Amino acid sequence: RIRGTAVSCRIPPSSAARVAHSAKGVMHRLLPDVWIHTDVHSGSRRRNDGGGCGPSPGLSVLLTATTTEGICLSAECSMNHNTASGDNNNDRPIERRQMELPEDLGRRSATSLLHEIYSGGCADTSCQSFALLMMCLSPEDVSRIRLGPLSQYTVVSLRLYKEALGVEFKLRVEEENGEDEDDDDDFGNDRRRKEDSQKTVVCSCMGIGYRNMARAST
């Protein structure tokens, strides 16, 4: 199933509905259980009420897919505020810039979620580094997690964890059917590039047993 929320701030309320309709149009080709809620905010409320959204307009959407095994994969996108072509004046009001259409935002968010599902793993790309950090701080035992293709941010995070915490991960690339990758196979480079996106990475490490020393013991 797929659940999501489209949020709009200081723009016409119909924009959030257009984002939800566009995203559901892509998802309904694959499964019927899709529900996207719309959350509209305006700047007319007082700032002290907590219901205002500030002076900046915007539009974003968050989609979460729950697999049959209970794994949640998410994708979040916000509207791009690109300036018009040939115009280098960044001081123009944001309403006069060439903004992304709500329909394009809905399709982009749905495509991002489908890419996360296709990549596989137990955590989406945005949560890879956080999951690995929790493994570093876990008790002194072996922890394992299966992830999709590692992002550049995750690779840099692994280097920082090794330098700051002294934890080194063991990475094992597996095929989609669970078999280990054979380094001696003689397949062509074209087939290798085609299968790279269908492989998952099993990350394992030994936790450092981090404890909060400031917490009172009972």
Side-chain angles (χ1 to χ4, degrees):
R1 66 178 185 178
I2 295 177
R3 299 292 183 265
T5 302
V7 183
S8 63
C9 301
R10 294 182 65 90
I11 59 176
S14 60
S15 298
R18 292 165 60 185
V19 172
H21 180 75
S22 178
K24 288 189 292 185
V26 177
M27 295 300 180
H28 278 162
R29 301 177 183 176
L30 304 174
L31 73 164
D33 192 4
V34 180
W35 176 262
I36 301 177
H37 176 70
T38 58
D39 191 4
V40 179
H41 295 268
S42 62
S44 59
R45 300 181 181 179
R46 296 180 181 178
R47 182 175 300 180
N48 296 331
D49 294 341
C53 61
S56 302
L59 185 63
S60 64
V61 58
L62 172 65
L63 300 178
T64 302
T66 304
T67 65
T68 55
E69 298 179 355
I71 299 174
C72 295
L73 302 175
S74 302
E76 184 177 7
C77 296
S78 58
M79 177 182 291
N80 290 330
H81 300 282
N82 298 323
T83 56
S85 58
D87 186 5
N88 296 325
N89 186 10
N90 294 329
D91 296 333
R92 295 180 59 184
I94 196 171
E95 291 83 358
R96 295 187 179 181
R97 298 183 186 180
Q98 184 179 359
M99 296 187 298
E100 184 180 18
L101 295 176
E103 289 78 9
D104 296 336
L105 176 61
R107 285 190 292 267
R108 182 161 61 91
S109 61
T111 304
S112 300
L113 181 60
L114 294 178
H115 177 72
E116 294 290 345
I117 298 174
Y118 179 76
S119 299
C122 300
D124 51 75
T125 305
S126 61
C127 296
Q128 288 179 353
S129 59
F130 182 76
L132 296 177
L133 177 59
M134 293 295 102
M135 293 172 59
C136 294
L137 303 179
S138 63
E140 298 179 1
D141 197 359
V142 178
S143 301
R144 295 184 181 87
I145 189 174
R146 183 184 299 274
L147 301 174
L150 301 181
S151 62
Q152 185 65 28
Y153 185 89
T154 303
V155 174
V156 176
S157 298
L158 290 175
R159 297 171 182 171
L160 293 177
Y161 299 157
K162 181 180 179 181
E163 180 179 355
L165 303 175
V167 178
E168 186 173 357
F169 281 81
K170 178 182 178 181
L171 307 179
R172 185 176 75 254
V173 180
E174 292 188 356
E175 298 289 347
E176 198 174 32
N177 55 6
E179 298 179 355
D180 292 343
E181 179 184 9
D182 187 6
D183 296 334
D184 298 331
D185 57 4
D186 297 329
F187 291 110
N189 295 330
D190 294 339
R191 184 167 183 177
R192 283 184 180 273
R193 286 193 296 266
K194 182 179 180 181
E195 293 180 352
D196 281 343
S197 59
Q198 300 177 357
K199 296 174 183 177
T200 57
V201 182
V202 178
C203 307
S204 59
C205 74
M206 179 71 70
I208 63 175
Y210 180 81
R211 297 180 180 179
N212 186 5
M213 302 303 295
R215 182 178 180 181
S217 61
T218 57

